[in-house]
Amino acid sequence: MATLTDKSAIITGASSGIGEAIAKHLAAEGANVVLAARRSERLEELAQQIEKEYNVAAKVAETDVTNREDVENLVKLTKDSFGSVDLLVNNAGVMLLSFLKNDYVDEWEQMVDVNIKGVLFGIHAALPSMIEQESGHIINVSSVAGHEVFPSSTVYSATKYAVRALSMGMEKELSRSGVRVTNISPGAVDTELTDHITDGEVLEMFKDHSMEPLEAKDIARAVAYAATQPDYVNVNEVIVRPMHKK
Ligand code: NDP
């Protein structure tokens, strides 16, 4: 396995859950990390912890991924700090599950903005220089909901199918460019993701959950697996689901 020593890695949505775990795992593999999200106090704390524990550099970039300029500045900060962007993990996302009949149109819009436009802005900001340097790796966090649609996941799934389509198209277009692409599709993971759901009918439905969710670090290991392969190995798709209770 290749080490990530002296590589730079941007992780969006690093202020909690899966993104935080990915940042720690990539730092443990030797990468200098740039932590992006809106809650910068949390990122500052994480950066301090990472620098202390893993002996790498950790930068903070307060970023709203729905704002194109913020994402461009995030990439600029990474280049100014480390010379290049070697790894971009498009992880920031929201899962505002609701039933279509309840018409939560503002939440649909937010999911489209964060989950699709946020990923597109990351690609826009980082890909040109990766193509120029003939190396780089973009890891997009989709979901099992990007492979299947469940009642109340219709719009969320639409955004995560879109993320998968972006990953698949990038793989086809970039396979001769030196830029690798990985799509990660987690099943249920214990994070803050469900805290933002407002549709009461969905919250009621969740009470009967029969699944023990994964931990964020279970997904971080999958990301690190893809990121630490030798340059000629392109891990395109990883699905990680929890086991059902016996
Ligand atoms: P969390 O809610 O813990 O993390 C979501 C992250 O996204 C936070 O760091 C949040 O930071 C960031 N974020 C949200 N909106 C924005 C924005 N506009 N700009 C920048 N950052 C933003 O959930 P998870 O860790 O679970 O989610 C991470 C990814 O994993 C998401 O894409 C999610 O869809 C996906 N996923 C999660 C699953 C699960 O079961 N947990 C299953 C399948 C996929 P802040 O609020 O500080 O901006």
Side-chain angles (χ1 to χ4, degrees):
M1 293 279 187
T3 147
L4 299 179
T5 302
D6 293 331
K7 302 271 187 199
S8 65
I10 296 174
I11 303 100
T12 69
S15 60
S16 62
I18 294 171
E20 179 182 333
I22 292 171
K24 286 182 185 165
H25 224 93
L26 296 181
E29 296 287 349
N32 296 313
V33 291
V34 182
L35 311 173
R38 293 165 304 174
R39 289 171 294 176
S40 55
E41 337 72 59
R42 283 202 185 197
L43 298 178
E44 293 289 355
E45 265 177 47
L46 178 63
Q48 279 180 20
Q49 194 192 339
I50 284 177
E51 289 197 336
K52 208 163 131 198
E53 244 171 77
Y54 304 111
N55 200 25
V56 296
K59 302 275 174 201
V60 166
E62 185 175 327
T63 307
D64 182 337
V65 296
T66 69
N67 180 312
R68 193 197 295 188
E69 210 180 324
D70 273 13
V71 182
E72 288 169 351
N73 288 337
L74 164 66
V75 167
K76 185 172 181 314
L77 171 80
T78 309
K79 285 184 191 163
D80 290 348
S81 306
F82 304 118
S84 62
V85 180
D86 300 310
L87 193 57
L88 166 65
V89 186
N90 280 315
N91 163 75
V94 284
M95 183 184 74
L96 306 169
L97 300 180
S98 66
F99 291 102
L100 289 176
K101 66 183 170 67
N102 294 338
D103 194 25
Y104 282 72
V105 65
D106 290 339
E107 296 190 352
W108 302 347
E109 194 172 7
Q110 193 187 342
M111 286 192 284
V112 168
D113 284 350
V114 179
N115 300 0
I116 304 180
K117 273 165 77 175
V119 172
L120 283 173
F121 290 160
I123 294 167
H124 150 73
L127 184 59
S129 56
M130 287 184 176
I131 291 174
E132 200 179 304
Q133 76 204 19
E134 296 183 359
S135 71
H137 194 161
I138 295 185
I139 298 181
N140 294 326
V141 179
S142 175
S143 172
V144 162
H147 296 255
E148 300 166 41
V149 188
F150 312 95
S152 82
S153 86
T154 308
V155 180
Y156 177 66
S157 284
T159 66
K160 291 301 185 178
Y161 271 78
V163 172
R164 254 182 83 218
L166 289 170
S167 301
M168 290 158 95
M170 285 166 73
E171 188 274 315
K172 294 284 175 284
E173 288 192 28
L174 299 172
S175 62
R176 290 171 195 278
S177 69
V179 180
R180 297 188 286 176
V181 182
T182 302
N183 190 76
I184 304 270
S185 295
V189 183
D190 185 16
T191 68
E192 296 171 20
L193 196 69
T194 52
D195 296 356
H196 309 291
I197 296 171
T198 61
D199 186 333
E201 288 184 50
V202 173
L203 294 170
E204 199 55 40
M205 189 174 71
F206 266 159
K207 284 186 183 156
D208 301 326
H209 236 295
S210 69
M211 213 180 273
E212 200 68 65
L214 297 170
E215 293 178 49
K217 64 180 185 212
D218 299 322
I219 307 306
R221 279 201 306 279
V223 170
Y225 166 78
T228 55
Q229 296 301 312
D231 283 349
Y232 65 92
V233 179
N234 201 0
V235 178
N236 297 138
E237 179 82 66
V238 184
I239 305 176
V240 189
R241 286 189 172 90
M243 296 289 282
H244 283 274
K245 283 180 189 162
K246 282 186 186 150

